[in-house]
Amino acid sequence: AITPGELLCLGSSLAFSGLFYYLYRKKARVVARIQEAPKLQVDDDLPALVSAAEGRCLPYVALEGIVLPAKAVLTSHYHEGLQGVIQKLLLKEHRLIWNSLARSW
């Protein structure tokens, strides 16, 4: 006979498995969209392309071109010859929603 404790463990295990599979599939779709992103060159045509896009926004694109560092190039401590730069500007929009339970935005 199955005890109530075993049923509880089985049910919670199935619930967690379902939750983690849902999160995995959601992230896998995002990764697939990023991998299928169109590759654009950083040139004089890029501003016109962005202006012509719906909402003046390109959701996922890979930009290819020469990047100049603002101050100094970062070098990797782990891979010899690998260099990078830090993105200078990041625009993040947050949508405010009133939470009536917590009485906050």
Side-chain angles (χ1 to χ4, degrees):
I2 299 175
T3 65
E6 290 173 337
L7 283 175
L8 179 66
C9 289
L10 179 64
S12 62
S13 176
L14 288 174
F16 279 121
S17 295
L19 172 69
F20 291 136
Y21 182 72
Y22 167 76
L23 294 174
Y24 165 76
R25 293 299 303 155
K26 186 176 177 182
K27 295 299 177 185
R29 283 192 297 270
V30 171
V31 168
R33 283 184 64 195
I34 291 172
Q35 288 176 341
E36 295 169 357
K39 292 181 173 77
L40 303 176
Q41 295 292 325
V42 178
D43 56 10
D44 295 335
D45 298 334
L46 187 60
L49 200 95
V50 172
S51 296
E54 182 182 335
R56 299 187 66 197
C57 178
L58 300 172
Y60 289 112
V61 295
L63 293 177
E64 297 176 343
I66 297 173
V67 176
L68 300 174
K71 293 184 181 175
V73 176
L74 301 174
T75 55
S76 173
H77 296 286
Y78 304 107
H79 300 283
E80 190 175 320
L82 189 64
Q83 296 180 334
V85 295
I86 295 178
Q87 184 176 346
K88 189 174 181 181
L89 175 66
L90 177 64
L91 175 64
K92 212 174 209 183
E93 294 182 19
H94 296 281
R95 196 170 125 195
L96 293 176
I97 299 174
W98 176 253
N99 185 344
S100 60
L101 183 62
R103 296 185 182 257
S104 66
W105 287 97

